Amino acid sequence: MATEPIDLDKLVPGYAFPLVRISIDAARAAAYLRATEGEGEPFEAAGTVPPMAVTALAIAAMGEAMALPAGTVHVSQDATFHRPARLGEVLISRAMVSRRVNRGKINLINVGINVADPSDLPVMTAETSFVLPNEP
């Protein structure tokens, strides 16, 4: 992850966020399930991670890398899961700005996210959108 937040002016189509490594152990998966009031037994029995936990961590890592101004709203996400992530598996998240539209006082930014295993086999692909106010 970047040591300094990424300036919003750099978030143009084609901008690639720093790679992020994600690993979800049993405790982190359990915390996610408690927060979402999800049922953990099927995942525990299979040794896998709730799919949306992977998405949530990938989006959170990307959001932490940006200098999001007050008033930013996460407006949508669309995810496709290619296979279950295993507990403790190290995954690599790549995110890239796919679209940015400036509409006066706001910006609409779309980001594509690809999460894969170390062999680069896909685990999850997603598209997420944010509305960000232009800073005064």
Side-chain angles (χ1 to χ4, degrees):
M1 184 170 297
T3 55
E4 291 291 319
I6 299 161
D7 188 286
L8 293 179
D9 292 337
K10 294 181 181 178
L11 297 179
V12 296
Y15 176 83
F17 289 86
L19 296 180
V20 176
R21 286 178 172 65
I22 297 170
S23 182
I24 304 172
D25 61 14
R28 199 169 201 185
Y32 173 83
L33 289 166
R34 278 192 306 277
T36 60
E37 299 180 0
E39 175 57 50
E41 194 172 306
F43 301 109
E44 292 167 7
T48 60
V49 173
M52 287 304 294
V54 174
T55 307
L57 288 173
I59 291 173
M62 186 251 337
E64 287 173 10
M66 297 189 296
L68 295 172
T72 297
V73 178
H74 176 224
V75 293
S76 70
Q77 68 189 30
D78 182 30
T80 301
F81 302 98
H82 304 283
R83 71 160 179 84
R86 293 178 298 280
L87 285 172
E89 178 178 27
V90 175
L91 303 172
I92 299 153
S93 179
R94 293 173 178 87
M96 182 179 290
V97 176
S98 57
R99 180 174 173 234
R100 179 175 179 160
V101 178
N102 185 327
R103 294 283 188 244
K105 294 183 179 183
I106 64 166
N107 287 284
L108 174 64
I109 296 178
N110 291 12
V111 178
I113 301 172
N114 295 295
V115 177
D117 66 18
S119 300
D120 210 27
L121 295 173
V123 174
M124 187 269 311
T125 52
E127 183 83 13
T128 188
S129 300
F130 296 88
V131 173
L132 300 91
N134 277 326
E135 299 194 47

